[in-house]
């Protein structure tokens, strides 16, 4: 990894457009030719001490005073947050290819004079996934001593053609690529938190590790960074926190739960080889389409008959490709699908059953079959119950617009924050963003019309910052029983 610091936040977005092409123009909010957002981020870090934070660590400032201090400073960053998020949204990049996204992040960190290391999350499966990777970024803010808390955001986009209406000025400039999962928002919120935390760095009794992680969308970027030692760097993080924008929750609400929150996930590809021929003479063929149809139907019994009714699981076939003509039975069929469960044991058990069903069904029909899996299955994202009950749920409630933390059922979506939560006590939150009408922000994740409610960006900054500061005091054994006050 390469370590560096630099400095001129007002030119960040201009520099970014030089990198990606001068034909792209930046729309400044409020009609000013200057980057107002950059100025507000810069001014927030002129001071590196916070009297409120120091008093909070000493037990001389209330939890409410700290909350209001962070809220005020996060709101001051609104222009910066919106401008930065829209810049990232214009230029989505797929997993292990996030070069320009990484440049935007490092430019902001440079201007904030935050030391960071680059080169994280190298793609170790280039034969399966395109891109060299190495675009992850790690920064430490504070006194470089224990205790240490990790904050993480994912940065990659999806291979989706954007159809979101009403965002012409910052629509994706790369056809077939889109930030349809809110990672542009996640990145922006963590940058905002880095700005606030850097403004109080000399008042922090510990270290905040900021982790910008590539390749969440199936590339296990968090696992790569874990393998590369992000959790072993001194000081070692003792808690980790992450969040995801969630369009099915009202904007400004926050939800989570102890235990499994998001599912374990495996994906697979099945190739069925038969004997092709004329559609009018099926008796001279071995039809891989009929075989594929039988496999699809047989797999539907796995969850209902092979899994306990008290457990949760999903097995879905999501792609079938075979043949090109109406009068030809093809020689092969290709299928893709996914398995989900709320525990790793259940996931691996279902994976074994899938292989058995696929192989047996193909044999019955006289076809040859192969099944391959992803290089890295994702474990479930499990919120540490003790950390959640004693700390995280109180901070979530404190920051939520509703004044309480919503208890939410587990979802079968998957998240590679799970690789971090496997190793250190962690909490993952869902930040509601579904209330905007222009454009509608209630479209689901990975939908081509997904839109982000930018009004919640400052609340994400608040959540990150409150979690970081309050966790440091908790880990120092100096929380004064005032986490939820």
């Amino acid at each position: 990894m390469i370590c560096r610091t630099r400095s001129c936040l007002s030119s960040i977005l201009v520099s970014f457009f030089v990198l990606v092409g001068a034909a792209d123009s930046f729309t400044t909010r409020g009609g000013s030719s200057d980057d107002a957002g950059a100025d507000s981020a810069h001014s927030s870090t002129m001071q590196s001490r916070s009297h409120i934070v120091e008093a909070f660590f000493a037990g001389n400032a209330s939890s409410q005073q700290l909350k209001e201090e962070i809220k005020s400073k996060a709101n001051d960053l609104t222009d910066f947050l919106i401008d930065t998020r829209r810049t990232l949204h214009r230029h989505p990049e797929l997993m292990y290819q996030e070069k320009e996204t990484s440049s935007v992040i490092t430019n902001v960190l440079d201007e904030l004079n935050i030391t960071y290391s680059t080169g994280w999350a190298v793609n170790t499966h280039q034969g399966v996934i395109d891109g060299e990777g190495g675009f992850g970024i790690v920064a430490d803010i504070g006194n470089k001593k224990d205790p240490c808390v990790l904050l993480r955001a994912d940065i990659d986009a999806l291979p989706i053609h954007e159809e979101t209406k009403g965002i012409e000025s910052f629509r994706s400039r790369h056809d077939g690529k889109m930030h349809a999962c809110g990672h542009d928002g996640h990145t922006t919120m963590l940058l905002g938190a880095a700005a606030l935390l850097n403004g109080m760095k000399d008042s922090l009794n510990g270290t905040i590790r900021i982790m910008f992680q590539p390749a969440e969308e199936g590339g296990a970027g968090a696992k790569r960074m874990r393998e590369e030692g992000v959790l072993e760097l001194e000081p070692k993080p003792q808690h980790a926190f992450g969040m995801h924008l969630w369009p099915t929750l009202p904007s400004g609400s926050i939800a989570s739960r102890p235990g499994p929150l998001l599912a374990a996930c495996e994906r697979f590809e099945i190739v069925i080889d038969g004997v092709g021929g004329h559609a009018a003479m099926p008796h001279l063929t071995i039809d891989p389409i009929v075989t594929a149809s039988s496999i699809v139907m047989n797999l539907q019994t796995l969850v209902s008959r092979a899994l306990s009714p008290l457990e949760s699981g999903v097995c879905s076939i999501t792609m079938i490709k075979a043949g090109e003509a109406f009068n030809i039975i093809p020689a092969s069929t290709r299928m893709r699908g996914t398995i989900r469960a709320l525990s790793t044991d259940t996931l691996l058990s279902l994976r074994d059953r899938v292989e058995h069903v696929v192989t047996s069904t193909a044999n019955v029909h006289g076809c040859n079959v192969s099944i391959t899996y992803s290089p890295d299955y994702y474990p479930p994202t499990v919120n540490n119950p003790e950390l959640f009950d004693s700390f995280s749920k109180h901070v979530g409630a404190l920051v939520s617009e509703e004044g309480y933390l919503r208890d939410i059922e587990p979802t079968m979506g998957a998240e590679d924050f799970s690789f971090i939560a496997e190793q250190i006590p962690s909490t993952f939150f869902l930040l509601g963003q579904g209330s905007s009408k222009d454009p509608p922000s209630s479209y689901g994740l990975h939908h081509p019309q997904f839109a982000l409610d930018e009004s919640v960006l400052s609340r994400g900054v608040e959540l990150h910052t409150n979690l970081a500061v309050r966790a440091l005091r908790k880990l120092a054994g100096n929380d004064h029983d005032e986490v939820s006050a």
Side-chain angles (χ1 to χ4, degrees), residues 96-337:
Y96 292 120
Q97 301 170 40
E98 307 96 335
K99 181 179 180 180
E100 311 306 342
T101 303
S102 182
S103 294
V104 171
I105 296 166
T106 55
N107 281 340
V108 174
L109 297 177
D110 286 339
E111 191 56 34
L112 296 172
N113 201 30
I114 295 174
T115 302
Y116 58 87
S117 58
T118 61
W120 295 87
V122 173
N123 183 8
T124 57
H125 299 290
Q126 293 185 43
V128 180
I129 303 171
D130 291 338
E132 294 182 1
F135 299 114
I137 301 159
V138 176
D140 282 356
I141 298 171
N143 63 12
K144 316 301 182 186
K145 299 177 182 178
D146 289 322
C148 179
V149 173
L150 184 146
L151 304 177
R152 170 268 196 183
D154 40 15
I155 70 174
D156 55 326
L158 286 159
I160 295 175
H161 172 74
E162 182 161 32
E163 298 176 8
T164 309
K165 296 177 173 57
I167 61 164
E168 283 70 21
S169 66
F170 58 96
R171 184 185 303 280
S172 170
R173 300 291 194 261
H174 304 307
D175 190 38
K177 300 176 185 178
M178 176 190 176
H179 272 295
C181 201
H183 295 190
D184 50 343
H186 301 167
T187 302
T188 298
M189 293 185 294
L190 190 53
L191 282 171
L196 293 197
L197 291 164
N198 194 55
M200 59 181 75
K201 64 182 179 181
D202 294 330
S203 301
L204 296 173
N205 291 341
T207 305
I208 310 299
R209 180 154 300 146
I210 306 293
M211 175 178 168
F212 294 97
Q213 178 225 303
E216 189 279 327
E217 297 289 356
K223 185 178 183 182
R224 300 287 85 80
M225 293 182 75
R226 190 181 77 176
E227 291 169 343
E228 292 161 353
V230 71
L231 302 182
E232 301 302 320
L233 291 175
E234 294 292 345
K236 294 180 181 179
Q238 294 161 266
H239 292 329
F241 302 98
M243 67 184 70
H244 205 297
L245 291 161
W246 212 249
T248 59
L249 294 172
S251 295
S253 65
I254 300 174
S256 193
R257 70 185 309 276
L261 175 67
L262 295 155
C265 173
E266 176 66 285
R267 64 183 191 270
F268 56 85
E269 180 172 279
I270 301 166
V271 177
I272 305 165
D273 291 315
V275 176
H278 201 293
M281 306 171 189
H283 60 294
L284 301 179
T285 72
I286 300 176
D287 193 337
I289 294 179
V290 172
T291 305
S293 301
S294 295
I295 288 173
V296 171
M297 296 305 297
N298 290 341
L299 288 177
Q300 302 314 300
T301 65
L302 283 186
V303 172
S304 64
R305 290 296 175 266
L307 199 62
S308 165
L310 301 179
E311 296 184 76
S312 297
V314 170
C315 180
S316 296
I317 297 295
T318 57
M319 187 276 281
I320 301 178
K321 182 174 177 58
E324 302 291 342
F326 74 94
N327 60 350
I328 300 172
I329 293 174
S332 66
T333 300
R334 185 169 52 174
M335 310 162 66
R336 290 179 179 169

Side-chain angles (χ1 to χ4, degrees), residues 40 67-83 85 184-194 196 243 245 251-254 398-401 431-433 452-467:
S40 62
K67 172 191 172 183
E68 294 304 325
E69 173 85 354
I70 292 172
K71 184 179 183 66
S72 174
K73 291 186 178 296
N75 287 338
D76 288 343
L77 290 177
T78 296
D79 287 348
F80 164 75
L81 296 172
I82 291 174
D83 290 342
R85 181 260 160 172
D184 50 343
H186 301 167
T187 302
T188 298
M189 293 185 294
L190 190 53
L191 282 171
L196 293 197
M243 67 184 70
L245 291 161
S251 295
S253 65
I254 300 174
L398 194 73
V399 177
S400 172
E401 183 174 302
L431 175 57
Q433 70 115 64
L452 195 153
D453 182 355
E454 294 174 328
S455 73
V456 307
L457 293 173
S458 61
R459 196 167 301 274
V461 173
E462 287 182 63
L463 183 56
H464 273 308
T465 308
N466 273 284
L467 286 165

